[in-house]
Amino acid sequence: MNDAVLFDVQDGVATMTLNEGARLNPLTQPLLQGLLGGLHRVREDPNIRALLLTANGRGFCVGADLQEFGRRAADPASGTLSDYVGQLLREQASPIMLEMRTLPVPVVCAINGVAAGGGVGSALSGDMVLAARSAYFYLPFMPSLGLVPDMGSSWLVPHSVSPARALGLALTGEKLDAQRAAEWGLIWACTDDEILQEAARALALRLARLPSHAILEARALASAAGRNSLEQQLILECERQQALIDGDSFAEGVRAFAERRPPVFAGRRNA
């Protein structure tokens, strides 16, 4: 970890905070390294039951560090910019996105301001995404730079909204405000700016009380629904429900119902 990404754990919830707010948290090397290191800590610590990802400053993440791109483009000794970007995406950006989507705990993202470029992928990488009312999502790749969306945004956006809307955002660079993002189904909810962090932490604490293994099953089912027929999904539901219903979590749920109390589920099974 480093100062570019702050890491804190309270009540079973790890909070990772992008901390280069003066520059609206571009995807610098220290920030990418801090993200990947923090995610590894979450995976390895069985006492962590949920992750909250947010940012300091006026923006969540403006995407690529274009200052560094410009410096490298002007310095022939640093190699080609395309090689640098390819290495950055393969060795840091892609592993971060895959790690976010496969963590053994639920992930809440609290978007406090603009999410642009690769920052859109980071913003949408959580299981549940809350955004401040002043926040917006912006894909400037094509109209401003002649590039295609990266850091998972070419997959995450069309899987959250329609492919037509995703392509429209990519081609026009139109800014999508948080309220409309919620209406389109891109994010879970839009909140007033002043309560974003409180609402996001409350949600993370709520998810931390759920049985972690069942959360992973729900995540897998939701992902499979996009490629399965109804018949295939029904078969998968049956298989996974049978596996879960013999487990400790269901037994605790039944006991809690009979005793008229909230269930208390066990923590993560493995580190």
Side-chain angles (χ1 to χ4, degrees):
M1 295 295 293
N2 52 52
D3 290 341
V5 179
L6 305 180
F7 190 96
D8 179 66
V9 181
Q10 293 183 35
D11 302 319
V13 175
T15 300
M16 291 172 54
T17 306
L18 309 186
N19 193 40
E20 294 193 356
R23 295 181 57 203
L24 302 181
N25 301 300
L27 296 169
T28 62
Q29 287 277 5
L31 190 141
L32 289 168
Q33 291 165 2
L35 273 173
L36 197 54
L39 293 173
H40 289 163
R41 285 179 65 177
V42 172
R43 181 176 290 278
E44 293 165 3
D45 188 344
N47 295 312
I48 293 174
R49 297 186 58 168
L51 169 64
L52 172 60
L53 176 65
T54 189
N56 284 331
R58 296 180 297 106
F60 177 75
C61 176
V62 291
D65 183 6
L66 294 181
Q67 288 185 12
E68 176 64 11
F69 283 14
R71 187 189 70 77
R72 287 180 172 274
D75 179 12
S78 64
T80 68
L81 185 57
S82 62
D83 284 345
Y84 170 72
V85 172
Q87 183 180 22
L88 194 73
L89 291 174
R90 284 190 298 270
E91 297 182 4
Q92 292 184 300
S94 295
I96 286 169
M97 297 307 299
L98 291 173
E99 190 72 4
M100 286 286 289
R101 301 292 286 187
T102 60
L103 281 178
V105 299
V107 179
V108 175
C109 292
I111 313 308
N112 57 303
V114 57
V120 173
S122 303
L124 300 179
S125 60
D127 296 301
M128 300 184 74
V129 182
L130 278 69
R133 203 166 300 280
S134 65
Y136 61 91
F137 302 86
Y138 176 43
L139 294 171
F141 295 94
M142 182 64 65
S144 297
L145 301 168
L147 299 174
V148 295
D150 62 19
M151 205 156 177
S153 54
S154 69
W155 189 93
L156 290 164
V157 178
H159 276 73
S160 300
V161 300
S162 71
R165 280 179 163 166
L167 183 59
L169 290 172
L171 294 180
T172 66
E174 180 179 329
K175 295 175 182 178
L176 182 68
D177 63 78
Q179 183 63 51
R180 192 156 52 124
E183 293 169 357
W184 282 13
L186 187 68
I187 62 174
W188 170 248
C190 169
T191 73
D192 292 335
D193 288 40
E194 58 270 21
I195 67 168
L196 172 68
Q197 298 300 333
E198 178 185 353
R201 177 161 178 78
L203 179 58
L205 285 167
R206 180 179 175 185
L207 298 183
R209 291 191 288 268
L210 299 176
S212 298
H213 62 286
I215 291 173
L216 301 186
E217 295 282 4
R219 183 192 285 161
L221 275 179
S223 177
R227 60 179 181 272
N228 279 350
S229 66
L230 175 58
E231 182 179 7
Q232 290 170 324
Q233 192 74 1
L234 289 170
I235 293 170
L236 183 59
E237 284 178 356
C238 181
E239 291 173 351
R240 302 324 305 152
Q241 200 73 303
Q242 280 189 271
L244 288 169
I245 210 161
D246 287 332
D248 296 338
S249 295
F250 180 71
E252 165 60 11
V254 171
R255 283 193 300 269
F257 177 79
E259 297 168 8
R260 298 184 179 182
R261 62 172 175 80
V264 179
F265 296 116
R268 288 164 56 179
R269 292 176 173 175
N270 299 301

